[in-house]
Amino acid sequence: MAERIETESRKLLGRLRDAMASDAAGQERLDRITHLIASSMGCEVCSIYLFRDEDTLELCATEGLNPDAVHQTRMKLGEGLVGRVAKSTNVINTADAPQAKGFRYMPETGEEIYSSFLGVPIQRLGERLGVLVVQSKAAREYTPDEVYALEVVAMVLAEMTELGAFVGDGAAMSARHTQPVMLRGGVGQEGVAEGHVWLHEPRVVVSNPIADDPAAEEERLIAAVDELRLSVDQMLSMADNDKDQKQVFEAYRMFANSKGWLRRMCEDIASGLTAEAAVEKEQSLARTRMGQATDAYLRERLADLDDLSNRLLRILTGQGADTGAEMPLDPILVARNIGPAELLDYGRTLRGIVLEEGSVGSHAAIVARALAIPLIVNAGRITNEALNGDYVMVDGEQGIVHLRPDDTVATAFRDKIAMQAAAQERYASIRDEPAVSKCGTVIGMQMNAGLMADLPSLENSGAEGVGLFRTELQFLVRNQMPKRSDLSALYARVLDAAGGKRVNFRTLDIGSDKVLPYMKPTDEPNPALGWRAIRVGLDKPGIMRMQLQALIRAANGRPLTVMFPFIAQLEEFRSARAELVKTLAREKRLGHVLPAFIEVGAMLETPSLAFAPQIFFEEVDFLSIGGNDLKQFFFAADRENERVRRRYDTLNISFLTFLEDIVNRCAATNTALSFCGEDAGRPVEALCLAAIGIPSLSMRPASIGPVKSLIRRCDLGEVRDVILRARDRGEMSVRADVMEYVRAQHHT
Ligand code: PEP
Ligand code: MG
């Protein structure tokens, strides 16, 4: 029986191929296909519905329904049986369609007389393209073999759609990947950029889904799977010391050797598909299951299978690593996800990054931030929509991606970029001027950094020094703990490049969102409140000691500035400093030159530290407010949680009052104070921070110009009065009042 069905389905595919080979236009091809399927399967009706836009399906061809309904009948995603198949990407097979849940009567099609209904999704790798339907008068459920045959045909239709086979005069569809698309996502790094798409993993194009010779296809598949198994074994042997990586590759090996997977693909070939189309068919199914799986473990394994299928496709088609495509000069990287090391490999060549998955706190986002490259995360179906070389605009302020934008959008966007470029020119002219306000107060302008590649910005931005050097990137981008000698060499190069300007090295700040790939993950209920930063440093001092040694050796007699993150109470600071003192003594014994002098500071990131005893303020050489963390703990609003992270304004009067208390405590003890969270780089926020008495700000280099320019135009005493008046009036936030003041300065 199976043999017979296989032959039937092969015959049908053979006829389909003939229909495709003819030089008929798109619509004619679709018409022929519905005719072929209906007659081969002995059904009265066969119809093809394709997506017109994201959530509308259109009847594009039919055999058996009223021909006048073609291109007239439309339905929303989820509407009627066809809409339900499209939405759920599940098959609907019913003997009594009019009674089935969701049935919707469409008088123009005349379909109420058909009792049985079989609808299968037309999809390619999880991308929904449409629905293929057969219907008959006789009330019967279709057999599993018939369902399977229709799924195989739908798979071929999907490949053909992808290849643009139905585009043409009077055609069913406009060419795919030619329409403008706008996608919304989350902002991983602010900034705007335009350029051309560079796909991190180019799409594999299957140009021939229908097999001529199933035996030969099966041979190709088996040879490719053998090659895949070998490469997985190789990956496994290379990951010898890395337990986590090993686990992943072991899962890969399990799939690569899975008899079930191979058997299903061989069945697909027997039913008439080529080896690559068979791989894609199983991959599509896995993607659908992935979308529906609620279990995180299962989803991860399905993602492994997806990756493996991609590798297999690349082996079969010879496409992939080297597709011959050349990276555009203005690349915008598009990927489903990307690791921090891979992103660093691209480095600053990228104009922008758009990720389909990812999150604001991912390692990739940390790297993108360090590189100051605009990044959008969670951008819908971008990897399905974008093709290499497509024109794309990234709006990292609004979290919007315009793919192949039309002229009006492109013009508006370019105006925005031009305005920013003009502003940058204005900023360049004040690069070497101080950030002095109209009332004569000078505010320190420092920059944040985390990579060697950031150091040139010290010169270009006009920053007076590095107010925060995040040291975790060197730990995050490797699969192994970095060596002391490597770290020391890097820190020395940073100090060389800074040419005597102060660099404030923050010791390793891991935990919470920053998990080292080679450390055992701790399953904590609230990682942001968990074992992180200095807590790890003090409990497991080995890493911190190694880092402190690397810093001392890098300074090699030069001044050194060290800052401990996430100090919540005096004792933590004392213990951390004691580690430093011990390390200095050890280094001296070992014959290393000690720094000319050392400044030791703490980050104020937990509200508790603002209430520390006076002696704490006397003991620290300086304090730096880590506004990102401090704000999340002050308002109890997770900085990584899109739902709440913007809920409370930094210019909320309670927060400003709290910051002012810190300013006063530092003033009473003459403790140097700065602010290094993201808010320091937002002009209006920075202005308010300066107005309440924070003497120095550290921000990403690109923000120095805009912040300095605004401070120079304003009188901090006046801003302070605006803030005090708003507070007296009982305003919740001072933003509106300060904005009004700022606007008035533009007109004077
Ligand atoms: C902060 O918390 O404000 C800060 C600067 O540190 P990070 O963003 O690295 O946590
Ligand atoms: Mg922090």
Side-chain angles (χ1 to χ4, degrees):
M1 172 74 184
E3 185 69 6
R4 191 186 65 75
I5 290 294
E6 275 170 20
T7 336
E8 281 304 311
S9 122
R10 264 213 308 270
K11 258 197 237 150
L12 172 55
L13 290 188
R15 279 188 234 135
L16 264 183
R17 190 190 26 217
D18 295 342
M20 294 305 300
S22 74
D23 49 9
Q27 184 65 47
E28 208 181 324
R29 275 188 175 154
L30 277 177
D31 292 342
R32 279 196 206 169
I33 290 170
T34 49
H35 174 76
L36 266 174
I37 298 172
S39 65
S40 301
M41 291 186 63
C43 306
E44 284 93 355
V45 176
C46 173
S47 314
I48 295 173
Y49 298 82
L50 295 171
F51 276 98
R52 191 161 181 91
D53 57 47
E54 218 175 295
D55 50 18
T56 316
L57 286 149
E58 181 174 298
L59 176 65
C60 287
T62 185
E63 169 78 14
L65 296 184
N66 180 359
D68 294 341
V70 171
H71 297 309
Q72 300 302 320
T73 293
R74 290 188 189 160
M75 60 214 52
K76 291 274 171 222
L77 191 63
E79 190 186 359
L81 294 184
V82 173
R84 267 181 60 206
V85 172
K87 186 167 183 191
S88 65
T89 59
N90 287 331
V91 172
I92 292 184
N93 179 7
T94 169
D96 189 0
Q99 292 307 313
K101 185 172 155 241
F103 178 80
R104 219 193 96 209
Y105 174 51
M106 303 250 184
E108 71 275 21
T109 62
E111 71 180 334
E112 80 276 24
I113 50 169
Y114 299 103
S115 191
S116 2
F117 173 101
L118 171 61
V120 301
I122 303 173
Q123 58 178 335
R124 185 176 184 269
L125 300 181
E127 184 187 7
R128 297 187 278 222
L129 303 170
V131 179
L132 174 63
V133 175
V134 289
Q135 292 171 280
S136 346
K137 279 187 189 142
R140 66 176 187 101
E141 259 197 30
Y142 294 89
T143 64
D145 288 334
E146 284 172 314
V147 176
Y148 179 72
L150 201 65
E151 279 181 325
V152 169
V153 174
M155 159 80 206
V156 171
L157 282 180
E159 292 300 336
M160 292 170 168
T161 311
E162 175 69 23
L163 292 171
F166 307 127
V167 178
D169 271 353
M173 315 176 57
S174 53
R176 287 183 51 69
H177 303 300
T178 56
Q179 302 296 308
V181 178
M182 189 192 92
L183 297 164
R184 275 179 198 283
V187 177
Q189 164 66 24
E190 291 164 15
V192 289
E194 65 176 321
H196 292 88
V197 168
W198 179 249
L199 291 168
H200 181 52
E201 289 198 312
R203 299 159 76 87
V204 173
V205 183
V206 177
S207 49
N208 177 18
I210 304 173
D212 289 322
D213 177 357
E217 290 301 315
E218 190 171 312
E219 248 174 59
R220 282 182 63 227
L221 178 73
I222 290 170
V225 169
D226 281 344
E227 195 178 325
L228 178 73
R229 285 176 183 160
L230 268 178
S231 72
V232 172
D233 287 346
Q234 234 167 27
M235 290 193 290
L236 197 59
S237 64
M238 271 155 62
D240 46 4
N241 285 325
D242 190 324
K243 239 175 79 200
D244 288 343
Q245 232 186 44
K246 234 177 158 154
Q247 254 176 10
V248 172
F249 292 147
E250 257 150 21
Y252 274 32
R253 181 151 73 176
M254 190 188 78
F255 281 123
N257 287 294
S258 151
K259 293 212 169 62
W261 187 41
L262 186 59
R263 179 177 42 75
R264 284 194 303 277
M265 291 190 291
C266 286
E267 279 168 9
D268 296 333
I269 289 176
S271 68
L273 295 182
T274 53
E276 38 275 70
V279 177
E280 271 205 13
K281 181 166 180 294
E282 295 311 313
Q283 194 180 7
S284 279
L285 280 177
R287 283 215 180 157
T288 307
R289 269 184 276 145
M290 190 150 68
Q292 291 163 352
T294 46
D295 179 74
Y297 179 79
L298 182 63
R299 263 207 317 270
E300 260 177 47
R301 293 293 75 81
L302 286 168
D304 292 345
L305 179 59
D306 195 63
D307 187 37
L308 213 57
S309 307
N310 279 334
R311 285 168 196 269
L312 189 54
L313 276 177
R314 285 201 283 268
I315 294 174
L316 278 165
T317 58
Q319 300 170 20
D322 182 16
T323 52
E326 246 184 58
M327 180 139 96
L329 291 172
D330 50 3
I332 305 270
L333 186 80
V334 171
R336 206 127 68 82
N337 222 334
I338 188 167
E342 287 170 304
L343 193 49
L344 264 184
D345 282 346
Y346 283 109
R348 287 216 163 78
T349 44
L350 301 177
R351 293 276 175 93
I353 307 162
V354 184
L355 300 181
E356 189 157 310
E357 296 169 1
S359 73
V360 176
S362 64
H363 293 174
I366 295 169
V367 174
R369 242 170 268 158
L371 296 171
I373 300 173
L375 162 72
I376 310 275
V377 293
N378 258 317
R381 330 167 301 279
I382 186 78
T383 58
N384 279 327
E385 293 287 356
L387 291 183
N388 260 341
D390 275 349
Y391 189 64
V392 61
M393 293 175 146
V394 175
D395 187 339
E397 255 118 57
Q398 312 283 333
I400 295 177
V401 183
H402 299 284
L403 184 63
R404 303 178 289 263
D406 60 30
D407 286 350
T408 13
V409 171
T411 311
F413 193 87
R414 285 212 186 95
D415 285 349
K416 193 168 169 172
I417 291 185
M419 264 165 63
Q420 289 193 351
Q424 284 301 340
E425 258 174 48
R426 279 204 310 279
Y427 304 145
S429 67
I430 53 166
R431 193 189 65 179
D432 300 321
E433 304 291 325
V436 56
S437 70
K438 271 197 196 149
C439 54
T441 312
V442 178
I443 302 296
M445 291 279 119
Q446 311 266 331
M447 68 172 228
N448 295 346
L451 291 171
M452 188 56 216
D454 291 322
L455 269 294
S457 304
L458 197 50
E459 169 92 38
N460 307 334
S461 68
E464 292 145 27
V466 177
L468 167 66
F469 190 93
R470 292 181 165 102
T471 59
E472 41 282 358
L473 271 174
Q474 287 73 41
F475 288 80
L476 284 169
V477 297
R478 289 187 168 80
N479 289 324
Q480 284 171 9
M481 182 76 72
K483 287 207 220 72
R484 183 179 51 207
S485 54
D486 292 343
L487 285 184
S488 167
L490 172 90
Y491 299 151
R493 275 192 291 135
V494 169
L495 288 170
D496 292 345
K501 286 184 176 170
R502 181 173 174 270
V503 180
N504 181 359
F505 289 98
R506 174 175 79 180
T507 62
L508 191 56
D509 181 7
I510 50 159
S512 187
D513 57 316
K514 301 165 195 157
V515 185
L516 297 187
Y518 41 86
M519 253 175 88
K520 206 165 139 243
T522 45
D523 194 10
E524 297 185 302
N526 289 303
L529 306 176
W531 196 55
R532 52 176 294 198
I534 199 65
R535 300 172 183 176
V536 181
L538 293 177
D539 293 355
K540 289 233 179 287
I543 305 180
M544 192 165 80
R545 278 184 205 141
M546 181 271 274
Q547 197 184 17
L548 291 172
Q549 281 183 315
L551 284 167
I552 294 166
R553 291 182 196 181
N556 194 23
R558 289 177 281 193
L560 179 65
T561 307
V562 176
M563 170 162 77
F564 296 111
F566 215 66
I567 299 287
Q569 56 182 13
L570 167 62
E571 281 65 27
E572 284 172 345
F573 176 69
R574 283 189 173 158
S575 308
R577 193 182 47 191
E579 281 297 342
L580 176 60
V581 171
K582 262 196 277 176
T583 310
L584 280 166
R586 199 175 312 116
E587 288 297 283
K588 191 170 176 193
R589 275 202 307 279
L590 291 172
H592 292 286
V593 187
L594 297 191
F597 66 90
I598 300 196
E599 284 181 285
V600 192
M603 279 190 83
L604 197 157
E605 308 187 81
T606 58
S608 63
L609 202 61
F611 302 94
Q614 165 115 350
I615 184 95
F616 167 74
F617 290 85
E618 288 164 1
E619 283 186 17
V620 284
D621 293 331
F622 63 90
L623 269 179
S624 186
I625 297 175
N628 306 335
D629 275 312
L630 186 63
K631 190 178 155 199
Q632 85 165 333
F633 297 121
F634 185 76
F635 288 111
D638 188 344
R639 64 191 263 195
E640 306 295 346
N641 183 337
E642 283 300 325
R643 254 199 148 139
V644 298
R645 75 188 191 100
R646 288 179 216 266
R647 195 178 175 97
Y648 305 97
D649 192 351
T650 304
L651 301 186
N652 178 296
I653 205 71
S654 310
F655 192 52
L656 285 184
T657 306
F658 177 56
L659 293 178
E660 212 179 0
D661 288 347
I662 299 170
V663 170
N664 292 338
R665 293 209 68 184
C666 288
T669 47
N670 235 338
T671 311
L673 176 67
S674 67
F675 185 107
C676 66
E678 295 303 315
D679 285 314
R682 301 188 173 113
V684 175
E685 280 82 339
L687 179 68
C688 293
L689 295 174
I692 62 167
I694 294 178
S696 177
L697 303 169
S698 190
M699 63 200 81
R700 56 192 177 105
S703 296
I704 289 183
V707 168
K708 193 195 278 185
S709 153
L710 183 60
I711 289 175
R712 286 169 63 90
R713 283 204 311 273
C714 297
D715 180 313
L716 294 182
E718 286 173 11
V719 178
R720 192 179 162 74
D721 285 344
V722 171
I723 294 174
L724 292 182
R725 278 201 299 274
R727 172 153 58 193
D728 288 346
R729 279 204 315 279
E731 302 287 342
M732 188 168 71
S733 162
V734 304
R735 184 174 300 275
D737 295 46
V738 174
M739 289 291 288
E740 198 182 303
Y741 171 84
V742 167
R743 272 194 289 269
Q745 304 316 299
H746 278 288
H747 302 299
T748 54

